């Protein structure tokens, strides 16, 4: 018989509501101890939560019966007011009940897996879904959740098996007549897989960005209105703006959701030959960050012509003073919609890859597969190819794909997945 | 009543190897066979070894078994297969003189200490308290034993087919062991039915050799045994001929008369050793198939035409043989036939080939669904060794698939079972690059010494070889080269400043023999065999490191044991089909479960998560 576990399922801190979730055989007993009588299944009811004679809070209480709940066990959810005091008192009270204990990190999900309510890929994608901040991240996690990665790996594996079979036939049936030269087909397959793996790895850079966020740098001459533009995009005062050129000396970063994509906007020091030491360092950093950013927006003075061809998007500032095409104003908001759309389209192109390798684990497995294909190619174009080495490379690639989808290495996989969960999820 | 530690039933390749291994391990052993004169008989093709099979023979020899030495003593043509490919996939093979082979095995067994040869038919097993306690012979004699190794071959419910004629039998001319088969029925083991076939045997004097292509043996023959360096018997050649359109027409016209195609055979045959009917039907676009004419011995005129096994009626066999170049006048001495026989699902066995629901009983050879002398012998060795150790209260011996082809064979049988006659291939060994035929002794002989089954003579030769090998490796390891040294010797290397040992250099760069010798004169002075070993290890070095990572991962997963009473039906996340498969096969570990067809990663995770939960609950208690 397993324990009954509980945890705060929403983030700590002041909020409108807080959800405390209880799962296990004693979940209903816990509700009863709080003075909550019989509960209807899957329907929210308003109840007073009592600790002894004292009213703790008035809460929305939900009951999910075993077999039809997230964990597969009896689950009771208390939606209380999001006060630290209320939550702490409730958690303290639950701790005092027999058979109840605080959940370990990821324990709810682990129970869901153990009870067959979720499968492994769903668990992994769920972790990402929970962490998703933006629409693009959500879509990406959903795509993996739907099994896209497994399907692609299965196709690759089929190719690997075919190539291996051709090679093994020439090795193991050397004495029997296999007249056809299998090498051309093997080369074809290896070339094709090489290209697919490379493309997938290349595309995964975008996926990683969707997970971790893009960097968009705003660059331009001093006092052209970069900080005003940033403030307007973010909607709150982040960078200090003033009419004095060179006000922004370091790189200012703001994380935001821009058109559904997670973006870190970088406001940089104006690019000019700075006279003071601090500003000079700032300018150097600005150039470096701009170089590393996923996308750069060059802001120009009205009427100025662009000399920096490195920038992805060129916009003219101070549209409130000099309106025109592709011009923006941080003060009035003119042209902001156009700029946001430009940035979004620019970034979208960078994630146009299939975006299935969203975790480092996925990428390292595929990198190994990719290296094996490179090694196989090297052998295959030798005058007298060492087929047993090609076979070993093919096998390593299959092994890597098995690791990728969790056919082997489940042990490590589980540990890794569960270590990435926070308590209560 | 007579008593032995171990009784071995059957005198084929599994039985003889089992009896020898058990006796060498120190047990008192009796080998019971219907005819002592047929011990060590090669009942199918007159050849030993091949790809994968040759590896097995080398490993048997590394453990001081019989097969390698017998094949060397009887070998009349030696060929190293895949000679032009890498060392890991080269397999020694030899044509053997049947009489010499049989004589060698019989002599070895007669000279073996602790071993008695008994003639008789085993009709029953003695079972005391759910474990095997001995055997009963047809004459009523009881023999008690701590362990019994059954190597019944194709004798179990054997059925021979020639066209639409069939009769019960083991191999041609022998009585089938149906009474023992009935007894085994009571054990409630899962059975399957397989078939195999042989070609017609020809009179070599009626073959027109002069117009046929000759296939010679290797100029420098590769022996099977680590103890031998050259053939003993006179060496001969084989002939090569081909079937033609006329042959195929005859076969096509008579297909309905073939036992296979006439619907008389239920057993599943091997895909890789097809009958000529199979070849003509399945590869209808090919107008010709190769036929090797293999002499069965130096003093025997019989020729084994490898490649035209069949179950057609005798008159059709005569017609198609006569249509083949060089065989126009060939006389058939013994017709081709197909044989169907029972095997027991090897998934019911332990890692040491013991029947799990009847302790003390071991199965080895074709009874476990394998085909081939070498596969039978390898199992015989493992079963005999473990039977002896059981009788002497010692731990069972485990052969891991990362360490030997024997390990691959036993693991495949036990965890995957058999759907067609199981034959060894190098591709079955995922760690093939380290499991070479030429390093079988380095992999196994030390273990064999620990088990007490290695002769003094082999011990001495093994230690001397290992000393030379370790000495050369140590000397190469001590050598130290800068990129500049290497560039000066013509080795292309980037000037990265890192120093490399002699062994590293050999592994990392492609060099000519001259370059190697110039750079590392130690190689020149070493014995050729020692030098070859070092170079081969170095050649695969990079791959072996990567393989080791995979082996470690496999061993970890094998370490995740699934409890025998694990209840799959309680896992609500499994499909009904998978649940029943798991329930039936009861994988011993997560690694074995991962091999089950149709298993999904999610299912594995589910199983693992539940093993952990059970373990955690038990810890808490």
């Amino acid at each position: 018989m397993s324990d009954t576990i509980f945890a705060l399922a929403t983030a700590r801190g002041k909020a409108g509501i807080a959800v405390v979730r209880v799962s296990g055989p004693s979940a209903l007993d816990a509700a009863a101890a709080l003075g909550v009588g019989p509960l209807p299944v899957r329907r929210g009811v308003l109840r007073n939560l009592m600790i002894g004679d004292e009213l703790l809070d008035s809460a929305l209480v939900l009951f999910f019966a075993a077999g039809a709940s997230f964990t597969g066990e009896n689950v009771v959810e208390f939606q209380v007011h999001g006060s630290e005091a209320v939550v702490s008192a409730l958690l303290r009270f639950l701790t005092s009940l027999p058979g109840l204990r605080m959940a370990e990190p990821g324990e709810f999900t682990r129970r869901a897996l153990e009870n067959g309510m979720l499968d492994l890929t769903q668990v992994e994608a769920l972790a990402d879904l929970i962490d998703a901040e933006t629409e693009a991240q959500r879509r990406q996690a959903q795509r993996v959740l739907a099994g896209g990665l497994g399907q692609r790996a299965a196709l690759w594996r089929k190719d690997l098996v075919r190539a291996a079979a051709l090679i093994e036939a020439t090795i193991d049936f050397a004495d029997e007549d296999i007249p056809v030269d299998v090498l051309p087909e093997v080369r074809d397959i290896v070339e094709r897989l090489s290209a697919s793996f490379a493309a997938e790895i290349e595309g995964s850079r975008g996926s990683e960005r969707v997970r971790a966020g893009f960097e968009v740098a705003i660059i331009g001459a001093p006092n052209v209105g970069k900080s005003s533009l940033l403030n307007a995009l973010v909607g709150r005062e982040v960078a200090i703006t003033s009419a004095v050129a060179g006000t922004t000396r370091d790189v200012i970063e703001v994380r935001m959701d821009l058109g559904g994509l997670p973006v870190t906007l970088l406001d940089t020091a104006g690019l000019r030959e700075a006279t003071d030491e601090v500003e000079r360092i700032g300018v150097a950093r600005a150039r470096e960050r701009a170089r590393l950013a996923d996308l750069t927006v060059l802001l120009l003075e009205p009427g100025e012509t662009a000399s920096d061809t490195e920038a992805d998007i060129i916009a003219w500032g101070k549209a409130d003073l000099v309106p025109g095409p592709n011009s923006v104003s941080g003060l009035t908001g003119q042209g902001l919609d156009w700029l946001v759309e430009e940035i979004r389209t620019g970034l979208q192109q960078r994630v146009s890859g299939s975006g299935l390798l969203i975790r480092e684990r996925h990428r390292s497995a595929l990198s190994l597969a990719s290296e094996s294909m490179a090694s196989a190619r090297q052998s295959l174009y030798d005058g007298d190819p060492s087929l047993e080495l090609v076979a070993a490379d093919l096998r390593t690639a299959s092994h890597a794909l098995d690791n990728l989808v969790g056919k082997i290495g489940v042990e490590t996989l589980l540990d890794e997945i569960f270590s990435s969960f926070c308590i209560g999820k | 009543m007579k008593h032995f530690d171990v009784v071995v039933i059957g005198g084929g390749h599994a039985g003889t190897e089992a009896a020898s291994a058990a006796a060498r391990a120190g047990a008192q052993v009796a080998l019971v066979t219907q005819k002592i004169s047929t011990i060590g008989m090669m009942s199918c093709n007159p050849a030993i070894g091949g790809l994968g099979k040759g590896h097995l023979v080398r490993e048997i020899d590394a453990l001081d078994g019989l097969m390698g030495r017998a094949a060397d003593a009887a070998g009349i043509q030696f060929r190293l297969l895949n000679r032009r490919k890498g060392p890991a996939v080269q397999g020694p093979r030899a044509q053997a003189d049947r009489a010499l082979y049989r004589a060698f095995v019989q002599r070895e067994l007669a000279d073996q200490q602790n071993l008695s040869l008994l003639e008789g038919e085993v009709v029953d097993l003695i079972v005391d308290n759910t474990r095997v306690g001995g055997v009963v012979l047809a004459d009523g004699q009881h023999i008690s034993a701590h362990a019994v190794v059954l190597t019944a071959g194709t004798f179990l419910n054997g059925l021979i087919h020639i066209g639409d004629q069939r009769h019960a039998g083991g191999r041609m001319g022998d009585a089938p062991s149906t009474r023992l088969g009935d007894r085994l029925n009571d054990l409630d083991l899962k059975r399957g039915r397989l078939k195999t076939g042989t070609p017609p045997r020809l009179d070599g004097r009626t073959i027109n050799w002069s117009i046929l292509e000759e296939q010679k043996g290797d100029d420098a023959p590769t022996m099977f045994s680590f103890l031998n360096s050259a053939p003993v018997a006179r060496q001969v050649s084989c002939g090569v001929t081909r079937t033609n359109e006329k042959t195929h027409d005859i076969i096509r016209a008579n297909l309905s008369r073939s036992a296979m195609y006439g619907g008389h055979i239920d057993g599943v045959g091997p895909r890789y050793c097809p009958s000529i009917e199979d070849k003509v039907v399945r590869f209808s676009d090919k107008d010709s198939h190769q036929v090797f004419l293999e002499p069965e011995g130096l003093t025997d005129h019989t020729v084994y035409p490898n490649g035209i096994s069949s179950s057609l009626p005798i008159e059709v066999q005569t017609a198609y043989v006569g249509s083949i170049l060089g065989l126009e006048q060939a006389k058939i001495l013994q017709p081709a036939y197909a044989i169907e026989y029972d095997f027991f699902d090897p998934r019911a066995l332990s890692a040491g080939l013991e029947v799990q629901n009847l302790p003390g009983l071991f199965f080895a050879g074709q009874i476990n669904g394998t085909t081939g002398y070498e596969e039978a012998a390898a199992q015989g060795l493992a079963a005999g060794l473990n039977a002896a150790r059981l009788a002497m209260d010692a731990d069972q011996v485990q052969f891991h698939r990362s360490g030997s082809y024997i390990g691959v064979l036993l693991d495949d049988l036990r965890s995957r079972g058999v759907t067609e006659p199981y034959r060894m291939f190098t591709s079955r060994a995922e760690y093939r690059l380290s499991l070479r035929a030429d390093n079988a002794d380095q992999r196994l002989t030390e273990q064999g010494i620990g088990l007490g089954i290695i002769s003094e003579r082999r011990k001495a030769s093994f230690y001397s070889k290992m000393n030379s090998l370790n000495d050369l490796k140590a000397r190469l390891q001590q050598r130290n080269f800068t990129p500049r040294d290497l560039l000066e010797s013509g080795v292309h290397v980037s000037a990265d400043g890192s120093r490399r040992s002699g062994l590293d250099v050999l592994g990392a760069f492609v060099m000519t023999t001259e370059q190697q010798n110039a750079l590392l004169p130690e190689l020149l002075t070493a014995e050729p065999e020692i030098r070859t070993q070092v170079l081969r290890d170095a050649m695969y070095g990079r791959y072996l490191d990567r393989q080791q990572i995979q082996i470690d991962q496999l061993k970890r997963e094998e370490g995740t044991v699934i409890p025998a009473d694990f209840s799959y039906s309680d896992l609500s996340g499994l499909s009904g089909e998978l649940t029943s498969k798991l329930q039936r096969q009861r994988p011993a570990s997560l690694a074995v479960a991962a091999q089950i067809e149709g298993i999904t990663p999610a299912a594995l995770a589910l199983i693992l998560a539940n093993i952990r939960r059970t373990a955690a609950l038990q810890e808490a208690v």
Side-chain angles (χ1 to χ4, degrees):
Chain A
M1 185 77 143
S2 56
D3 309 345
T4 297
I5 53 171
F6 64 89
L8 178 65
T10 48
R12 268 207 174 272
K14 252 185 252 181
I17 59 161
V19 178
V20 172
R21 195 188 250 169
V22 184
S23 172
S26 307
L28 284 174
D29 298 340
L34 283 159
V36 177
L39 286 166
V41 174
R42 285 179 165 260
R43 195 153 59 80
V45 287
L46 193 65
R47 292 283 188 272
N48 286 335
L49 303 187
M50 307 293 292
I51 294 179
D53 299 333
E54 210 174 313
L55 175 66
L56 175 67
D57 195 6
S58 190
L60 191 63
V61 184
L62 282 142
F63 169 54
F64 301 92
S69 69
F70 172 69
T71 58
E73 305 170 323
N74 273 345
V75 170
V76 175
E77 274 185 25
F78 301 101
Q79 303 191 357
V80 297
H81 291 99
S83 130
E84 297 239 23
V86 169
V87 170
S88 301
L90 179 57
L91 293 179
R92 225 175 15 247
F93 177 73
L94 290 173
T95 313
S96 70
L97 295 176
L100 263 73
R101 64 170 172 83
M102 270 292 242
E104 288 162 22
E107 199 172 2
F108 283 93
T109 314
R110 189 185 289 258
R111 288 191 177 195
L113 180 77
E114 284 167 358
N115 292 321
M117 307 307 289
L118 283 178
D119 76 21
L120 192 67
T121 48
Q122 287 175 304
V123 169
E124 194 172 44
L126 181 78
D128 286 330
L129 198 57
I130 288 169
D131 289 338
E133 291 171 2
T134 65
E135 180 59 15
Q137 288 173 331
R138 188 193 63 75
R139 275 204 307 271
Q140 183 168 276
Q142 287 288 10
R143 204 159 45 224
V144 178
L145 197 76
L149 184 56
Q151 284 161 12
R152 189 150 316 171
L155 287 177
W156 288 330
R157 227 178 166 287
K158 221 169 131 188
D159 267 349
L160 285 170
V161 168
R162 169 75 189 161
L166 290 169
I167 298 250
E168 298 298 356
T170 53
I171 291 177
D172 270 335
F173 296 90
D175 223 22
E176 293 159 49
D177 27 14
I178 298 178
V180 283
D181 180 9
V182 302
L183 285 183
E185 190 181 343
V186 174
R187 281 194 194 110
D188 275 359
I189 294 175
V190 167
E191 292 293 345
R192 192 163 69 233
L193 285 174
S194 269
S196 298
F197 292 163
E200 201 65 44
I201 291 169
E202 183 56 39
S204 77
R205 291 185 219 291
S207 312
E208 177 59 25
R209 282 294 185 243
V210 171
R211 246 174 76 83
F214 295 91
E215 285 193 351
V216 174
I218 305 175
I219 56 170
N223 206 23
V224 71
K226 297 184 295 297
S227 298
S228 302
L229 178 61
L230 174 92
N231 286 339
L233 285 171
V234 177
R236 57 188 154 112
E237 289 262 320
V238 178
I240 301 164
T241 55
S242 82
V244 182
T247 304
T248 305
R249 300 202 161 192
D250 202 351
V251 180
I252 290 175
E253 302 184 20
V254 190
R255 194 169 162 82
M256 63 179 294
D257 177 339
L258 198 150
L261 295 169
V263 168
T264 301
L265 276 183
L266 308 174
D267 181 19
T268 59
L271 305 173
R272 65 170 179 181
E273 290 304 318
T275 46
D276 96 69
E277 181 61 23
V278 178
E279 192 189 345
R280 191 158 42 236
I281 295 171
V283 170
R285 279 199 196 164
R287 290 185 196 276
E288 178 60 14
R289 285 301 287 273
R291 196 177 63 76
L292 294 174
D294 297 292
L295 193 131
T296 48
V297 177
L298 173 64
L299 198 60
L300 296 173
E301 286 287 348
E304 195 187 341
T305 43
S307 55
D308 184 351
T309 49
E310 297 277 294
D312 300 283
I313 298 170
I314 297 171
W316 281 267
K318 300 174 184 168
D320 47 313
L321 302 176
V322 189
N326 298 0
S327 64
V328 293
S329 166
L331 284 178
T332 62
Q334 276 166 274
L336 283 191
D337 287 349
W338 164 78
L339 182 60
V340 166
E341 188 51 33
E342 283 290 294
I343 295 175
R344 210 186 62 77
T345 317
L347 294 179
Q348 202 74 60
Q349 280 165 1
R350 286 163 173 68
V351 292
S352 57
S354 61
L356 288 172
L357 308 180
I358 57 177
R359 290 179 159 257
E360 188 46 43
R361 184 178 75 73
H362 300 161
R363 201 165 28 250
S364 69
L366 208 60
S367 296
L368 178 60
S370 181
E371 282 162 26
S372 306
M373 287 303 99
S375 166
R377 277 176 66 180
Q378 208 175 10
S379 301
L380 279 168
Y381 289 101
D382 254 10
D384 192 9
S386 296
L387 292 181
E388 78 275 26
L389 296 185
V390 176
D393 286 324
L394 291 169
R395 220 181 257 279
T396 299
S398 299
H399 195 261
L401 293 183
D402 281 351
N403 263 318
L404 176 70
V405 300
K407 177 116 191 179
I408 43 178
V410 191
E411 195 93 37
T412 344
L413 193 64
L414 273 185
D415 289 341
E416 187 197 299
I417 289 170
F418 284 120
S419 71
S420 71
F421 274 94
C422 312
I423 195 159
K425 282 169 186 163
Chain B
M1 180 162 57
K2 282 188 194 157
H3 176 82
F4 292 93
D5 293 324
V6 176
V7 167
V8 177
I9 307 170
H13 302 281
T16 51
E17 217 60 77
S20 163
R24 281 182 285 127
Q28 291 297 323
V29 184
L31 187 155
V32 186
T33 177
Q34 295 185 6
K35 263 188 247 162
I36 288 180
S37 62
T38 62
I39 285 179
M41 182 150 137
M42 307 174 85
S43 51
C44 190
N45 63 326
I48 296 282
L51 298 166
K53 289 165 170 280
H55 290 74
L56 281 173
V57 180
R58 280 281 188 150
E59 292 181 356
I60 291 165
D61 184 68
L63 292 167
D64 224 355
L66 300 170
M67 186 167 259
R69 288 178 295 129
D72 283 348
I76 51 177
Q77 187 217 37
F78 288 84
R79 286 194 316 126
L80 183 64
L81 303 189
N82 276 344
R83 179 175 280 283
R84 290 178 49 231
K85 297 200 177 83
V89 295
Q90 294 176 354
R93 184 185 189 278
Q95 294 301 140
D97 177 300
R98 284 183 199 282
L100 290 176
Y101 191 95
R102 194 171 59 211
F104 181 92
V105 172
Q106 292 186 7
R107 198 167 54 241
E108 281 287 316
L109 292 187
D111 292 348
Q112 178 65 51
Q113 281 186 353
N114 309 336
L115 175 63
S116 314
L117 304 178
L118 306 179
E119 202 160 81
E121 187 193 353
V122 173
V123 292
D124 210 348
L125 300 172
I126 301 171
V127 178
D128 324 315
N129 291 330
T130 72
R131 54 165 300 126
V132 159
V135 298
V136 182
L137 303 188
D139 62 9
Q141 212 187 138
H142 282 52
I143 302 173
S144 81
H146 291 299
V148 173
V149 183
L150 178 62
T151 67
T154 58
F155 288 66
L156 276 179
N157 294 336
L159 196 58
I160 287 176
H161 299 259
I162 303 173
D164 57 3
Q165 299 202 353
R166 51 187 141 159
H167 56 271
R171 59 192 167 224
M172 288 297 266
D174 286 318
S177 309
T178 42
R179 283 182 67 190
L180 181 60
D182 291 344
R183 167 71 192 183
L184 291 168
N185 265 340
D186 301 340
L187 280 180
D188 197 27
L189 296 168
K190 210 177 126 205
R191 281 185 188 226
R193 200 149 172 81
L194 296 173
K195 69 137 188 142
T196 183
T198 66
R201 307 300 162 85
L202 308 177
D203 185 339
R205 292 166 297 190
T206 60
I207 294 173
N208 186 1
W209 297 99
S210 61
I211 57 168
L212 293 178
E213 189 190 324
E214 179 185 0
Q215 184 195 46
K216 287 192 167 155
D218 292 338
D219 292 336
T222 303
M223 297 289 102
F224 284 105
S225 176
F226 288 96
L227 297 177
N228 296 331
S229 53
V232 197
R234 178 167 61 84
Q235 299 297 290
V236 300
S237 294
C238 292
V240 185
T241 182
R242 306 191 67 93
T243 60
N244 52 49
E245 271 304 333
K246 197 175 152 204
T247 321
H248 296 192
D249 286 342
I250 296 170
I251 288 162
R252 265 191 292 266
N254 289 285
L255 266 186
S256 60
R257 302 178 67 195
S258 151
M260 246 309 270
Y261 285 85
H264 302 293
I265 292 186
D266 311 318
V268 183
R271 278 172 303 173
Y272 29 72
C273 189
S275 65
I276 188 66
E277 294 99 293
D278 256 343
K279 290 184 190 177
V280 168
V281 172
R282 281 172 39 205
F283 307 102
S284 54
D285 54 326
K286 281 193 74 176
D287 50 17
S288 170
H289 295 281
Q290 241 176 351
V291 183
F292 294 93
L293 301 172
E294 304 173 346
E296 297 212 344
L298 296 174
T299 53
D300 186 342
H301 297 298
T302 312
V303 165
Y304 184 96
N306 197 341
I308 52 169
S309 78
S310 170
S311 59
L312 285 160
I314 295 172
E315 62 272 23
V316 182
Q317 294 181 25
T318 313
Y320 81 68
V321 166
S323 73
I324 298 172
L325 181 72
L327 307 185
E328 294 85 353
Q329 307 299 323
K331 193 175 147 225
I332 294 180
L333 296 175
Q334 190 189 76
Y337 63 91
I339 176 165
E340 273 191 290
Y341 57 97
D342 281 356
F343 75 98
F344 290 106
D345 185 346
R347 286 172 297 189
L349 303 174
S350 74
L353 297 178
E354 188 175 6
V355 179
Q356 278 171 318
N357 58 359
L358 190 57
L361 180 62
F362 293 75
F363 283 171
Q366 271 177 307
I367 190 172
N368 291 333
T370 62
T371 172
Y373 306 147
E374 303 81 358
E375 290 82 353
Q379 291 171 72
L381 186 143
L385 191 54
N386 278 316
R389 293 181 65 81
L390 179 77
M392 300 185 303
D393 268 333
D395 289 341
Q396 296 285 284
V397 184
Q398 304 268 0
F399 294 96
H400 194 264
R401 60 185 302 125
S402 63
S404 62
Y405 276 80
I406 300 177
V408 171
L409 170 68
L410 300 184
D411 189 51
D412 278 352
L413 291 178
R414 203 167 95 87
S415 55
R416 298 176 205 206
V418 161
T419 49
E420 64 185 319
Y422 181 101
R423 168 179 158 188
M424 185 51 75
F425 297 108
T426 70
S427 53
R428 293 197 193 270
E430 56 271 65
Y431 312 116
R432 176 167 66 191
L433 297 183
S434 46
L435 306 187
R436 306 194 307 263
D438 62 83
N439 70 7
D441 55 343
Q442 295 168 57
R443 294 184 278 115
L444 292 168
T445 302
E446 189 81 60
Q447 186 187 3
I449 291 169
L451 294 167
I453 56 171
I454 307 293
S455 68
E456 288 306 321
R457 180 180 164 217
R458 188 181 295 268
K459 248 189 252 182
S461 113
F462 172 71
Y463 283 135
S464 133
K465 176 177 171 183
M466 289 311 282
N467 284 342
S468 316
L469 200 56
N470 292 334
D471 178 55
L472 179 59
K473 280 185 181 166
R475 280 195 289 154
L476 291 172
Q477 194 64 46
Q478 279 161 13
R479 293 294 301 277
N480 204 309
F481 298 96
T482 63
R484 205 169 136 202
D485 299 334
L486 296 174
L487 282 167
E488 278 168 6
S489 319
V491 177
H492 298 289
V493 56
S494 62
D496 55 3
S498 60
R499 302 178 79 87
R500 293 174 171 85
S501 78
L503 276 182
D504 293 341
V505 170
L506 288 175
F509 308 104
V510 179
M511 288 186 274
T512 62
T513 311
E514 290 72 33
Q515 280 176 322
Q516 286 172 342
N517 290 341
L519 203 60
L520 300 159
E522 293 88 341
L523 289 171
L524 260 176
T525 50
E527 296 159 59
E529 198 207 333
I530 301 298
R531 180 175 62 228
T532 306
Q533 286 303 311
V534 168
L535 290 176
R536 287 178 172 185
D537 285 342
M539 163 184 178
Y540 287 137
R542 183 166 62 90
Y543 288 83
L544 297 182
D545 291 345
R546 212 167 53 184
Q547 223 170 55
Q548 193 54 46
I549 296 172
Q550 296 171 13
I551 292 173
D552 292 344
Q553 191 176 22
L554 174 69
K555 287 195 167 163
R556 256 197 320 277
E557 305 215 333
E558 284 174 343
T560 306
V561 172
I562 305 177
D565 57 351
F566 188 80
S567 173
Y568 294 98
S569 49
D570 290 349
L571 304 187
S572 41
L574 287 180
S575 72
E577 190 196 341
L578 214 47
T579 306
S580 65
K581 225 181 236 179
L582 286 160
Q583 203 77 267
R584 201 169 55 241
Q585 302 195 10
R586 299 232 140 264
S589 70
L590 205 62
V592 178
Q595 297 297 335
I596 291 175
E597 203 181 299
I599 196 104
T600 60
L604 288 173
L606 193 59
I607 294 168
L608 176 61
N610 277 278
I611 296 173
R612 285 188 178 183
R613 180 168 64 170
T614 316
L617 283 176
Q618 278 165 354
E619 243 165 62
V621 168

